[in-house]
Amino acid sequence: MKIFKSRISKLLIASALLLTAGLNAFGQEKDWLDSSVPSVYETYKNDFSYFGIACEYGNFGPGWGQKGELTKPEVQKGLKKHANTITLGNEFKPQFVFGWWGQNPKVTKEKFTSSKGVTITTPALNFLDRLGDILQICKDNGLQMRGHVLVWHSQTDDAFFCEDYNKNKKLVSKEIMDARQEWYIKTVIEYVNNWEKKNNGGKHIVWAWDVVNEAVADDATKTDYLRGSTKNTKDKAPDQGGSRWYQIYGSDEFIINAFRYANKYAPKDVKLCYNDYNEYMDYSQGWKTSGIVSLLKSIISHERDKELPTRIDVMGMQSHLGISWPGVSGVESAIKRFLALGLDIHVTELDFSAKNNAECAKAYADYMKLYKKYGKSYSGKHKITCVTIWGINDENSWIAQGGKQKPLIFTLKKGKYLTKDAYWSVINAAK
């Protein structure tokens, strides 16, 4: 009996120490490189194959010259410690690869003939080589990355869709646009493939591509769900929620084609992903989840085509979440629907519209427990294999609103990246 009581006492003491250690961490701002600060990736490596953090390389607009987060040694060390994959917030998007900045591009003398026999002239991609600079940083720090994004209605210059690549002329036919799409996907993917072969022994740095981004409208109905087909997106410019892609095609054909070409040019072990936000929204004012499910089924239905089959491996749940909406149960419902399609899930852009650090900490604890439930230990064939937080620190977050929002797990003070309560809640949620 005494031995039994002794063991109970030791267990209670050990449990109390663990609990105290976790609670004491809250409220402490520690340097993210401090040896007492656990690696987030290492903490979750038995739950997810990848844990990622988004970042920026630099400012590529007119007057380019100021390099950003990813070029800083402090950031590289932190990313290397806490993540094994990154996502560039902007630099792999068409607008940044084009480097046209709203102007009509130079048209080259090079010709491209598509898989369907259509020949086009091609425009210059002014910043294609900049991808190599980013890949080199990843290689130097042992990081991989998600390629974000190949096809998007936004941040794609109007000139790409117009005759003679002139934004003042009318939109081209879908046959011409199809060739342009294939050329662009081929050019970007093959640039990365060739860089990896030449500089990294063929090992992948880009292990996944967001092939198409945000093609389903927020005001989706059960019959009209594509961006450009709905009441609030039809005939609208991209900056008003519309889509030049849909205006040319009038269907999901351009999305199907994108997954055909990504499958044709990407290595077979590189994951192909559809990515969207509000992916858990399914009610009378917007049947977006159902619209995404319909789109995914359409892509999957062409996987066995004899010529140019599609391939899709992953549903990317962006997960820009509120504190009270859609709630853990709402997100879990969407997770189940996407897994049931035979796809893995990446949580691609996680952050929270949190007004203070306490709200942020609780949200990360609740949702990391949910994601862990569908990670490696989940009994189903398909799982959540990657979680990426959308940014490094609150101050540089896209939803920071001058400090009104506290969306991320680190804060930046006097040039140092420090842990927040949200960071410690992420660590404790793994236990």
Side-chain angles (χ1 to χ4, degrees):
M1 182 64 70
K2 289 182 180 179
I3 295 175
F4 179 73
K5 286 183 177 179
S6 175
R7 288 177 178 173
I8 290 292
S9 298
K10 289 179 180 179
L11 286 171
L12 288 172
I13 291 169
S15 298
L17 288 173
L18 284 171
L19 180 60
T20 302
L23 290 174
N24 284 344
F26 281 78
Q28 293 184 8
E29 292 183 340
K30 292 189 174 183
D31 190 308
W32 68 339
L33 297 178
D34 192 281
S35 60
S36 66
V37 173
S39 159
V40 182
Y41 162 65
E42 289 291 338
T43 300
Y44 280 93
K45 67 181 181 180
N46 293 325
D47 299 298
F48 314 113
S49 298
Y50 292 90
F51 191 92
I53 299 176
C55 57
E56 304 288 348
Y57 177 76
N59 171 24
F60 288 92
W64 175 83
Q66 182 180 359
K67 293 184 178 180
E69 292 174 326
L70 187 59
T71 63
K72 299 177 180 178
E74 169 84 3
V75 169
Q76 292 177 17
K77 291 176 183 177
L79 293 174
K80 183 177 182 179
K81 174 177 179 176
H82 290 287
N84 65 337
T85 184
I86 63 171
T87 304
L88 273 296
N90 280 297
E91 288 79 8
F92 271 58
K93 292 173 179 174
Q95 181 185 36
F96 285 74
V97 178
F98 290 161
W100 304 342
W101 311 121
Q103 303 302 310
N104 295 324
K106 176 183 178 181
V107 180
T108 71
K109 295 181 180 179
E110 296 180 5
K111 303 284 187 179
F112 172 76
T113 300
S114 73
S115 297
K116 299 177 182 178
V118 176
T119 299
I120 59 169
T121 56
T122 63
L125 297 180
N126 296 331
F127 285 117
L128 182 64
D129 286 340
R130 202 69 66 185
L131 303 185
D133 297 341
I134 296 167
L135 294 171
Q136 185 64 52
I137 292 174
C138 288
K139 178 188 175 183
D140 292 344
N141 290 278
L143 293 165
Q144 291 182 274
M145 68 178 299
R146 301 183 77 262
H148 176 75
V149 56
L150 295 170
V151 176
W152 194 23
H153 71 280
S154 183
Q155 289 188 258
T156 305
D157 290 56
D158 268 0
F160 188 53
F161 302 98
C162 296
E163 291 183 349
D164 302 320
Y165 301 101
N166 185 328
K167 63 181 180 179
N168 298 313
K169 294 188 176 182
K170 67 179 183 179
L171 299 176
V172 298
S173 67
K174 68 178 183 179
E175 289 78 17
I176 295 296
M177 198 65 231
D178 177 55
R180 289 184 183 183
Q181 183 190 63
E182 181 179 0
W183 163 79
Y184 180 79
I185 291 174
K186 175 181 186 291
T187 302
V188 173
I189 289 180
E190 287 191 344
Y191 179 90
V192 171
N193 294 347
N194 292 334
W195 193 97
E196 291 172 343
K197 290 176 183 177
K198 181 179 179 180
N199 300 285
N200 203 42
K203 296 179 180 178
H204 298 315
I205 291 176
V206 176
W207 66 279
W209 285 102
D210 286 331
V211 178
V212 178
N213 198 45
E214 301 175 3
V216 175
D218 288 341
D219 61 332
T221 68
K222 291 187 176 181
T223 54
D224 296 315
Y225 53 83
L226 292 178
R227 181 181 298 276
S229 71
T230 65
K231 179 182 178 181
N232 294 330
T233 65
K234 190 173 183 179
D235 299 324
K236 297 285 183 68
D239 61 358
Q240 297 176 324
S243 170
R244 301 296 186 214
W245 288 105
Y246 187 84
Q247 288 168 15
I248 290 173
Y249 285 85
S251 71
D252 66 3
E253 184 180 352
F254 73 94
I255 303 168
I256 304 302
N257 288 343
F259 282 92
R260 293 186 193 279
Y261 301 136
N263 182 41
K264 179 176 180 178
Y265 297 109
K268 299 306 179 187
D269 56 343
V270 169
K271 303 300 182 182
L272 303 183
C273 177
Y274 174 75
N275 192 51
D276 216 327
Y277 69 97
N278 283 356
E279 67 279 4
Y280 37 73
M281 186 171 74
D282 220 39
Y283 55 94
S284 59
Q285 294 179 4
W287 297 98
K288 189 162 185 176
T289 307
S290 291
I292 293 173
V293 168
S294 294
L295 177 60
L296 296 175
K297 287 181 177 179
S298 182
I299 297 167
I300 292 168
S301 72
H302 292 277
E303 286 187 334
R304 295 187 179 183
D305 290 358
K306 290 183 178 180
E307 294 184 9
L308 292 175
T310 60
R311 173 165 65 90
I312 180 169
D313 306 295
V314 176
M315 169 61 199
M317 299 182 69
Q318 288 189 16
S319 303
H320 298 297
L321 300 169
I323 297 304
S324 58
W325 185 84
V328 172
S329 62
V331 172
E332 184 170 21
S333 176
I335 288 172
K336 290 178 179 178
R337 293 182 70 180
F338 298 138
L339 290 176
L341 296 174
L343 300 173
D344 285 334
I345 287 175
H346 293 174
V347 178
T348 58
E349 305 181 19
L350 179 63
D351 55 24
F352 294 94
S353 297
K355 295 179 181 178
N356 54 59
N357 287 330
E359 282 188 351
C360 185
K362 184 179 186 306
Y364 273 102
D366 291 343
Y367 281 91
M368 289 307 298
K369 290 174 184 176
L370 172 65
Y371 300 146
K372 179 182 170 72
K373 177 180 176 180
Y374 291 94
K376 288 183 179 179
S377 63
Y378 179 57
S379 60
K381 179 180 179 181
H382 297 280
K383 309 173 190 295
I384 296 177
T385 58
C386 176
V387 175
T388 297
I389 295 177
W390 198 243
I392 299 175
N393 59 288
D394 285 349
E395 292 74 13
N396 292 338
S397 168
W398 73 295
I399 56 172
Q401 297 181 17
K404 293 180 181 179
Q405 298 287 341
K406 306 293 182 181
L408 302 174
I409 65 174
F410 298 111
T411 185
L412 180 63
K413 293 184 178 180
K414 297 181 180 180
K416 292 292 184 181
Y417 295 85
L418 306 176
T419 61
K420 291 173 47 186
D421 289 354
Y423 162 82
W424 295 105
S425 70
V426 167
I427 297 300
N428 288 336
K431 298 175 182 177

